[in-house]
Amino acid sequence: METKMKKKATLGHALIPMAFIIVALIVTMQFWGGDPHLPILFAAVVAAIVAIVGLGYTWKELEDGIVDTIKMAMQAILILMIIGMIIGTWILGGIVPTMIYYGLKLLSPSIFLVATCLLCCIVSLATGSSWTTAGTVGIALVGVGIGLGMNPGIVAGSIISGAYFGDKMSPLSDTTNLAPAMAGSTLFEHIRHMIYTTGPSLIISLILYGIIGMRFAGNEIDTAAINEILNGLEANFNISLILLLAPILVIAMVIFKVPAMPGLIGGTILGALFAFLFQGADMTAIVEATHYGYASDTGVTVIDDLLSRGGLDSMMWTVSLILCAMSFGGVMEKSGMLEAIASSIMKLAHGTGSLVLATIITIIAMNMMAGDQYLAIVIPGRMYRQIYEDRGLHPKNLSRVLEDAGTLTSPLVPWNSCGLFMSGTLGVATLVYLPYCFLNIINPLVSIFYGFTGITMEKLPGFEKTA
């Protein structure tokens, strides 16, 4: 069978599906109230048409590209499914409620902003979700902050900074699993490597919140909303410091480089054991929480909204979105269109610092154009993976940059799904809270600084630095 001669993809070819996906996402999500899945899938169709008609590829070749790209994400998909299970058992076992309970005890008027940020860090680390954190304890904290006479934008900024710290660093987060899958890194080495940029960024943010919060020292705090949550948790769960052993063990797994899947399955089993020993749950309740998630029925709306989640089924929306994004990315990569975009950008990036800067600009542009943080991780991840490897940079450098910019800048874009959610949930306009999202602003800048200075930019084993 005669093979058709293929043309080399140009920037013009690549911009056709990219323009389509941006317009399709905006129209579907902003005007039709739909999810991003179908626009991304149809963008893959458009990319395939360009590749077949304009570049001479066969459908079989593109299909192989899609399957190969999905294979790269399979570990992340499997981990996400396990994470759904671990969340369900950790809530049933009282582990997540215990973390929230002791987190709320941190609140004090003189350090309200610092405590708010730290509390949201804890809740988001425990749940792996910035949206859940903002939509539950975040709402209560905005009310408390307003009661103290604080600018709602400052309070919302501290909530979002904390929520996205946890979303970025938690092994239970979907983006934390997606970024290393796209870059070719592993989950726990990715988390360890992010500490170098995210740790200093959080410390600087807490100092700034502490300075601002000192103006409100001595103000009376309205504890009614907080006490309602504390009392509700105490009434429905056996709260015990022993339950904190579970998250401590997860942290230990990260430190001792335990493979992600076996470690998280162990965490799921531990959650089920705690549910049986401390909460009196039977096997029916444990199996239900593991598969379908935990359904909270405390009568306290904030608690029920916060804890009704988890389970294997809860991850299927994200898994299907990843599969759609991988299909688009697979066609774009196989046809050479991603390479065409990357090559155009790389003409301006000669050193490691300019490479990191170009990557971050691309990610932020994707967050702004596509309005979706998943695409802001997937597309740049596939674009830059080979370039980082060619320059001798370890994949965990790219996975860290993907989250430093992709995850953290998404709530700063008013029309991004994350920006829309945060502004709608907290009742504060995106441009009002944006200047006070210190972590989200500082972290990408720290990442760029590391790129130009070479700090923690680890090389591939055996790579000889060239002049």
Side-chain angles (χ1 to χ4, degrees):
M1 188 176 176
E2 203 173 308
T3 304
K4 189 177 178 182
M5 198 68 170
K6 297 179 181 63
K7 295 180 182 177
K8 184 175 177 62
T10 65
L11 184 61
H13 290 117
L15 290 178
I16 295 172
M18 291 302 293
F20 179 88
I21 196 171
I22 293 165
V23 173
L25 282 166
I26 291 172
V27 171
T28 302
M29 297 174 69
Q30 300 292 327
F31 299 104
W32 296 341
D35 287 327
H37 300 60
L38 291 180
I40 296 170
L41 205 54
F42 279 108
V45 174
V46 171
I49 292 171
V50 172
I52 293 169
V53 176
L55 300 174
Y57 283 83
T58 65
W59 168 248
K60 181 66 171 64
E61 290 172 322
L62 299 178
E63 187 179 78
D64 289 343
I66 292 171
V67 172
D68 289 342
T69 304
I70 289 174
K71 281 180 184 176
M72 295 177 184
M74 279 310 299
Q75 184 186 44
I77 289 171
L78 292 172
I79 289 173
L80 282 173
M81 293 165 66
I82 298 169
I83 284 169
M85 296 159 57
I86 202 173
I87 291 171
T89 59
W90 276 28
I91 296 174
L92 180 66
I95 298 164
V96 172
T98 296
M99 294 177 73
I100 295 169
Y101 179 86
Y102 286 110
L104 285 169
K105 293 285 189 178
L106 290 170
L107 289 175
S108 166
S110 59
I111 57 165
F112 176 77
L113 292 174
V114 173
T116 291
C117 185
L118 287 173
L119 173 60
C120 290
C121 286
I122 292 169
V123 175
S124 195
L125 279 168
T127 61
S129 171
S130 55
W131 286 26
T132 299
T133 302
T136 51
V137 295
I139 294 173
L141 291 168
V142 167
V144 174
I146 291 173
L148 286 171
M150 291 185 175
N151 178 345
I154 298 175
V155 180
S158 65
I159 291 167
I160 292 168
S161 287
Y164 274 85
F165 171 86
D167 195 329
K168 184 175 187 280
M169 299 299 293
S170 174
L172 308 183
S173 167
D174 47 10
T175 56
T176 308
N177 284 273
L178 186 59
M182 292 303 95
S185 181
T186 62
L187 174 61
F188 286 157
E189 74 176 359
H190 167 61
I191 292 173
R192 286 194 299 272
H193 204 52
M194 286 197 296
I195 292 171
Y196 296 117
T197 55
T198 313
S201 301
L202 179 65
I203 292 170
I204 295 169
S205 300
L206 292 174
I207 291 171
L208 293 174
Y209 289 130
I211 293 171
I212 295 172
M214 285 173 62
R215 302 201 319 254
F216 302 94
N219 288 18
E220 289 295 324
I221 190 168
D222 179 10
T223 58
I226 305 302
N227 286 335
E228 183 183 24
I229 298 173
L230 291 173
N231 294 334
L233 291 173
E234 282 184 314
N236 290 275
F237 295 94
N238 179 15
I239 303 295
S240 170
L241 286 171
I242 297 174
L243 297 175
L244 297 179
L245 281 173
I248 290 171
L249 286 174
V250 170
I251 294 170
M253 285 191 295
V254 175
I255 295 171
F256 292 107
K257 304 181 181 181
V258 175
M261 277 193 279
L264 292 174
I265 288 173
T268 303
I269 295 170
L270 187 62
L273 182 64
F274 281 6
F276 175 75
L277 295 176
F278 292 95
Q279 311 303 332
D282 57 21
M283 279 306 299
T284 300
I286 291 170
V287 169
E288 196 167 299
T290 306
H291 192 161
Y292 303 106
Y294 182 81
S296 179
D297 187 23
T298 65
V300 181
T301 303
V302 174
I303 294 177
D304 292 340
D305 289 343
L306 178 60
L307 299 182
S308 294
R309 61 191 314 266
L312 179 68
D313 281 4
S314 70
M315 290 298 174
M316 292 303 106
W317 188 96
T318 302
V319 167
S320 61
L321 180 60
I322 291 172
L323 291 174
C324 292
M326 292 301 99
S327 300
F328 177 70
V331 175
M332 292 288 287
E333 183 171 29
K334 184 69 177 180
S335 62
M337 286 189 270
L338 281 186
E339 184 184 351
I341 298 173
S343 298
S344 300
I345 296 170
M346 283 304 100
K347 290 175 182 176
L348 303 174
H350 304 291
T352 299
S354 55
L355 174 59
V356 171
L357 178 60
T359 309
I360 287 178
I361 291 173
T362 305
I363 293 167
I364 293 173
M366 283 301 301
N367 255 329
M368 296 179 70
M369 292 188 298
D372 182 81
Q373 67 173 342
Y374 294 104
L375 285 182
I377 290 173
V378 171
I379 302 303
R382 304 304 302 142
M383 281 174 56
Y384 287 100
R385 180 171 175 165
Q386 190 60 48
I387 295 170
Y388 274 67
E389 184 179 327
D390 291 343
R391 297 199 180 184
L393 293 168
H394 195 286
K396 63 186 177 183
N397 295 303
L398 175 57
S399 66
R400 182 175 73 184
V401 172
L402 290 174
E403 284 229 80
D404 285 345
T407 302
L408 290 186
T409 64
S410 58
L412 307 183
V413 180
W415 54 89
N416 187 285
S417 56
C418 295
L420 288 167
F421 179 87
M422 290 297 158
S423 60
T425 300
L426 300 176
V428 182
T430 306
L431 296 180
V432 173
Y433 68 63
L434 188 155
Y436 306 104
C437 294
F438 297 138
L439 179 81
N440 306 66
I441 296 169
I442 293 169
N443 202 160
L445 297 177
V446 171
S447 193
I448 293 169
F449 173 74
Y450 282 7
F452 279 102
T453 59
I455 298 172
T456 73
M457 298 300 294
E458 191 171 320
K459 297 289 185 179
L460 284 167
F463 178 82
E464 294 294 331
K465 187 175 180 182
T466 56

